[in-house]
Amino acid sequence: MNRPGIRPVGRLVGRRLLAAVPVLAAVTFGVFAVAAASPFDPVQQYAGSAGLTASQETLDQLRRNLHVDGPFWERWWDWLTSALTGDLGDSTALRQPVAQVIGERLGWSVLLCAAGFALAVLAGTVLGVAAARRKGGLLDRAVTSLSYTLEAAPPFWIGLLGIWLFAVQFHLLPAGGLTDSGTDTVTAGGLLRHLALPALVLGISQLPWFLLYVRQGVGDALEEDAVRGARARGLAERTVLLGHALRSGLLPVLTLIGSRIPELITGALLVETVFSWPGIASATVEAATATDFPLLAALTTLATVAVLAGNLLADLLYGLADPRVALEEM
Amino acid sequence: MSTATALGKGGAPRAGRREVRLWTCACVLAVVLAAVLLVPLLHPLDEQAVDMANKLHAPSAAHPFGTDDVGRDVLLRCVYGLRVSLLVGVVAALTATVIGTAVGAAAGAAGGRTDRMVMRVVDVFSSVPHLLLGIFIVAMFRPGVWPVVVSVGLTHWLSTARIVRAEVLSLRSRDFVDAAVSGGASRLRVAVRHLLPGVLPQAGLAAVLMVPHAIWHESALSFLGLGLPTHRASLGNMIQDARGTLLAGDWWPTLFPGLFLIVPTLAIAGLAGVWRERINPRRRSELML
């Protein structure tokens, strides 16, 4: 086996970091351009109802004080240079520095996404392999139809039905938040109970894609010569399935996980809002409702970084899993 | 009807089952379209009218889907909500398809540096999650029908652009295009007469597949309170409105709007799957969405 060494990996990471610079510059520039083209005015937002009666001079003075009097590319450049020093401005809706908002909430979102994704991968693998074993069979048809239905169902709707079933009807799990009402301390057991339902719903929303790809990958692998050979040698069906088909069928799917970051972020946006999960995605929705531009700009940039990192991860894993792929060419 | 041969190995649906699927999807879609077009003519609905005497009735013969927290019939509101969702979805999908086809065809036909530049722009757009970009646009331009249409249209043209560009690139190397160019046809004439007709089926398929996506995004934005105004309630608004009654244990104002989102989506996806098999017969269409 001729595994790529550490140097091609380092070179790919370096190339991607270089390529990320113009992408991030373009995305942030676009964000500021859209804001400039929109009717949104930070001065009016800052002044609130006083802005309706204030004189033009006061407003102009305020505009200069807030450093929003120049063209938008100047503001973009100012924002970019201070962002590089870690200063992302202040959130107008949450009244705290944007960096602090992200710092406090990022961990909860990562926890939720990791738990949801782990559930999707586990259930997707089991169901996908079960469906691939007998394509066209009853189980396969049931699992495939379920996948397409779940793919079409909005995650927020699934979340609400989950709340109805588990929290309202059977009082098994809390309906949302991080702690029980009346307390602010996060305990391990309480966290697990509050995490269960959001993670399950996020997992269900990510499941169809994973399941259908595993089914396809393992199904194709079952028709490969290696599997036919293994069967011909009289190996047990279990060994054929787990040792041969699953290995060659699942690996390409696992490497694609990194490319699912956009869908994961989309799912988290909806699931966190439904369950009042104190993560970064629900902060995005709050920021949007209050037209909190500094927070929205930072979170859009952060999401772009996550997507680019996910793409890099997918390419790296793909290259490492398949020795025929040369990392130099990606 | 059996000229469409079974794909045989790999468990692709047999021809008979595919016909059943085709007709089921077509019938469902016809019923849905008839409902959203005809019901408002037969049953004019005042969105603001309330009937507190009949609030939160469970599903019954008089109200098959029950009534909501201000006594409105959930079935009737679902039909109206789906009408709004479909309208927004179709307009947004058409917007996305026009942008995507224009950008993809321009990139593919121009080639060289223009092509590379355009594809860079596509890469930049696709590195921001769609819903987040949509939320950002709506937040800056205030919720409303047009910001939603624009935000869904502006975020969904990327896949169409990629498909159309690839199709144009493959058409450009064909003999009939070479013949037209050496015959002295102008670039514009080659693009309009020879490239565009070949691209249209793919662009049309992409547009049809885009409609469920657009509806999905519209309903997500509306659910988050960033979408359509409440006097133009879509299915997403309805699910948002029903949150309070759900926590009190009344499930029907939440369940049925969701089902109204799922059924047309599955029908459209099913039809598009059959269409895709027709225009790309070699590609197995097991992964539709």
Side-chain angles (χ1 to χ4, degrees):
Chain A
M1 283 281 251
N2 186 17
R3 295 264 171 207
I6 194 74
R7 282 177 72 201
V9 172
R11 272 202 295 273
L12 178 65
V13 173
R15 262 203 317 280
R16 288 305 175 82
L17 284 178
L18 271 184
V21 173
V23 172
L24 285 172
V27 167
T28 51
F29 186 84
V31 161
F32 274 80
V34 168
S38 80
F40 166 70
D41 182 359
V43 175
Q44 291 290 351
Q45 184 185 44
Y46 185 84
S49 56
L52 299 172
T53 52
S55 68
Q56 193 56 46
E57 290 89 75
T58 321
L59 288 179
D60 289 344
Q61 184 61 43
L62 193 54
R63 193 171 295 276
R64 278 191 294 279
N65 291 350
L66 289 172
H67 301 292
V68 290
D69 50 340
F72 77 86
W73 50 87
E74 275 182 30
R75 262 174 283 152
W76 167 69
W77 187 249
D78 286 346
W79 182 86
L80 208 58
T81 43
S82 49
L84 287 177
T85 67
D87 174 17
L88 292 163
D90 291 317
S91 155
T92 54
L94 302 170
R95 306 252 171 229
Q96 58 187 142
V98 168
Q100 194 188 337
V101 176
I102 294 177
E104 281 173 5
R105 289 166 169 264
L106 189 59
W108 296 124
S109 285
V110 171
L111 176 68
L112 174 62
C113 289
F117 212 81
L119 280 176
V121 169
L122 274 177
T125 308
V126 172
L127 291 173
V129 170
R133 279 188 71 176
R134 204 153 294 148
K135 275 202 173 180
L138 196 63
L139 181 72
D140 180 32
R141 291 214 306 262
V143 163
T144 312
S145 319
L146 182 70
S147 297
Y148 285 125
T149 311
L150 287 179
E151 180 91 47
F156 54 87
W157 181 70
I158 299 177
L160 289 171
L161 293 183
I163 289 178
W164 178 77
L165 189 66
F166 289 103
V168 179
Q169 284 303 106
F170 296 116
H171 303 285
L172 287 174
L173 293 167
L178 202 57
T179 55
D180 290 324
S181 54
T183 168
D184 267 341
T185 37
V186 179
T187 58
L191 179 62
L192 207 60
R193 278 180 354 106
H194 283 84
L195 179 64
L197 202 46
L200 180 69
V201 173
L202 190 59
I204 288 177
S205 77
Q206 303 299 315
L207 176 66
W209 172 85
F210 197 75
L211 196 163
L212 292 171
Y213 269 88
V214 169
R215 171 180 174 272
Q216 180 85 36
V218 173
D220 287 352
L222 278 173
E223 288 172 20
E224 276 172 9
D225 291 342
V227 168
R228 194 166 298 134
R231 284 218 171 103
R233 292 203 304 280
L235 294 183
E237 184 63 24
R238 213 180 124 86
T239 319
V240 173
L241 200 65
L242 299 182
H244 293 79
L246 191 60
R247 239 187 93 174
S248 75
L250 192 61
L251 212 52
V253 187
L254 282 177
T255 62
L256 280 174
I257 281 180
S259 64
R260 289 292 291 180
I261 298 285
E263 285 79 9
L264 202 56
I265 291 176
T266 299
L269 279 167
L270 298 167
V271 171
E272 287 193 4
T273 305
V274 168
F275 290 97
S276 315
W277 188 255
I280 206 137
S282 58
T284 311
V285 177
E286 285 172 44
T289 315
T291 328
D292 184 348
F293 177 71
L295 189 51
L296 277 177
L299 293 177
T300 310
T301 314
L302 186 67
T304 311
V305 171
V307 172
L308 294 175
N311 288 344
L312 172 62
L313 181 73
D315 286 351
L316 272 181
L317 288 178
Y318 190 68
L320 292 176
D322 190 341
R324 285 167 301 183
V325 177
L327 289 177
E328 272 81 3
E329 284 161 21
M330 285 198 281
Chain B
M1 293 289 259
S2 60
T3 45
T5 49
L7 287 170
K9 279 201 299 183
R14 272 172 284 126
R17 200 179 293 158
R18 194 156 58 210
E19 294 295 326
V20 172
R21 196 178 81 195
L22 175 67
W23 285 107
T24 317
C25 292
C27 289
V28 169
L29 213 54
V31 169
V32 165
L33 285 178
V36 298
L37 292 175
L38 296 180
V39 167
L41 298 177
L42 305 172
H43 257 286
L45 175 74
D46 182 1
E47 278 278 346
Q48 315 297 330
V50 296
D51 180 6
M52 296 311 268
N54 282 319
K55 71 172 187 175
L56 289 176
H57 281 291
S60 63
H63 300 285
F65 288 4
T67 60
D68 68 4
D69 55 337
V70 289
R72 293 175 293 195
D73 185 68
V74 174
L75 172 59
L76 199 55
R77 290 204 72 209
C78 279
V79 173
Y80 271 82
L82 182 61
R83 182 182 160 96
V84 173
S85 288
L86 271 178
L87 195 65
V88 171
V90 168
V91 175
L94 283 179
T95 314
T97 306
V98 169
I99 301 176
T101 308
V103 170
R113 194 184 293 166
T114 320
D115 182 30
R116 281 199 299 277
M117 289 259 296
V118 170
M119 293 329 280
R120 280 279 151 273
V121 174
V122 171
D123 286 346
V124 169
F125 262 90
S126 45
S127 49
V128 187
H130 287 172
L131 187 62
L132 183 60
L133 189 56
I135 286 177
F136 177 74
I137 293 174
V138 174
M140 285 294 130
F141 286 88
R142 299 291 141 79
V145 176
W146 285 109
V148 169
V149 169
V150 169
S151 88
V152 176
L154 277 186
T155 48
H156 281 69
W157 54 274
L158 307 164
S159 55
T160 312
R162 286 205 184 97
I163 293 168
V164 168
R165 172 180 171 270
E167 196 68 24
V168 167
L169 284 181
S170 98
L171 284 173
R172 259 185 15 154
S173 58
R174 304 277 181 82
D175 290 343
F176 66 87
V177 175
D178 281 346
V181 172
S182 41
S186 71
R187 269 169 167 252
L188 188 68
R189 187 179 161 80
V190 172
V192 173
R193 287 279 304 171
H194 300 285
L195 297 183
L196 203 59
V199 162
L200 280 181
Q202 301 284 350
L205 176 61
V208 171
L209 279 171
M210 192 78 69
V211 172
H213 272 277
I215 294 176
W216 196 98
H217 272 250
E218 177 277 313
S219 64
L221 286 173
S222 293
F223 173 76
L224 294 174
L226 296 163
L228 301 182
T230 41
H231 65 273
R232 284 261 177 94
S234 73
L235 294 166
N237 295 94
M238 289 180 65
I239 296 174
Q240 166 68 15
D241 287 348
R243 281 178 83 171
T245 52
L246 182 82
L247 289 177
D250 300 319
W251 47 270
W252 52 92
T254 304
L255 178 72
F256 291 113
L259 292 180
F260 259 67
L261 275 174
I262 295 178
V263 168
T265 301
L266 289 177
I268 294 173
L271 279 184
V274 176
W275 184 356
R276 169 147 56 194
E277 279 168 29
R278 293 265 156 87
I279 63 175
N280 296 330
R282 277 159 302 161
R283 221 170 55 205
R284 277 194 286 167
S285 68
E286 296 208 23
L287 296 168
M288 292 195 307
L289 287 163

